[in-house]
Amino acid sequence: VVLFDLPSSGVSALHLSLGDRSLLVHGSVVVAEDIQKCVAEAERTFGYVDVMVNNAGVQGPLGPVLSYPENAFRQVMDVNVCGVFFGLQAAAQSMIRCGRGGVVVNLSSLAAARKPENMVAYNASKAAVESITATAAKELGPSSIRVVAVAPGLLTGRLWTTQVQGQASARGRRFQDQEAEMLE
């Protein structure tokens, strides 16, 4: 298992718990060279890359289309779209180079289909992930590389509560009413 994340992330504890069955590489998904370095280190350590899971993602702030901040929009796109693209590209190049094929799993979201209000950047980024995935699946299939997207449903927890509170606040609604609508 290769773990790839920013140096400030909490992934070091997971790496330690996995022992010599894992490799920890620090870098950023928004820097193509960092991902290429990670894949090269995976090849050196394990011989080949047969699975890549592109799981990095950010939601960004909640806000209406007309006043959504440009810098926030770009950050969401960089992490959620460019990160997936760079990871897919580096892994597929490695799989072809090693002649083994493999699978790339990209994390999407039901937001790509449901398009909740006040989440323009996140919604657009996850729709882009699905488009990248479909295109890459067609192009890479002949090389025995499967490319799939997984779109998790709604998960309760801190992020869910924050999202519901933000949506309720933006729409002047009670938490319970907003949550009920989002769960429909």
Side-chain angles (χ1 to χ4, degrees):
V1 174
V2 179
L3 305 167
F4 177 75
D5 208 341
L6 297 168
S8 59
S9 76
V11 76
S12 294
L14 176 59
H15 170 61
L16 291 174
S17 74
L18 293 172
D20 62 358
R21 296 176 299 160
S22 70
L23 171 68
L24 174 59
V25 180
H26 289 296
S28 172
V29 297
V30 303
V31 179
E33 294 80 19
D34 285 1
I35 296 177
Q36 291 164 355
K37 175 185 149 195
C38 176
V39 169
E41 288 188 35
E43 281 184 30
R44 274 193 297 279
T45 303
F46 298 110
Y48 56 89
V49 173
D50 56 354
V51 177
M52 168 68 106
V53 178
N54 288 308
N55 188 41
V58 295
Q59 178 180 300
L62 299 175
V65 170
L66 294 177
S67 60
Y68 202 85
E70 177 184 346
N71 64 331
F73 189 87
R74 288 184 188 279
Q75 181 198 22
V76 172
M77 291 299 176
D78 278 350
V79 173
N80 296 1
V81 179
C82 295
V84 165
F85 176 73
F86 298 152
L88 163 72
Q89 192 175 53
Q93 289 169 346
S94 172
M95 291 170 185
I96 290 169
R97 186 171 46 253
C98 293
R100 298 179 55 96
V103 61
V104 177
V105 180
N106 297 325
L107 270 287
S108 180
S109 169
L110 287 180
R114 297 192 72 183
K115 300 164 190 68
E117 295 176 74
N118 297 304
M119 295 179 64
V120 64
Y122 185 77
N123 298 345
S125 73
K126 293 306 182 174
V129 165
E130 292 188 1
S131 183
I132 290 167
T133 301
T135 302
K138 288 180 181 179
E139 291 182 17
L140 299 172
S143 297
S144 298
I145 299 171
R146 291 179 295 131
V147 184
V148 298
V150 176
L154 302 173
L155 303 171
T156 58
R158 182 183 53 81
L159 290 176
W160 170 254
T161 300
T162 300
Q163 182 179 345
V164 175
Q165 286 171 337
Q167 293 282 9
S169 175
R171 298 177 73 197
R173 301 181 74 188
R174 292 181 331 131
F175 180 93
Q176 294 83 354
D177 296 336
Q178 183 63 40
E179 184 175 48
E181 179 182 305
M182 292 171 71
L183 292 172
E184 287 179 347

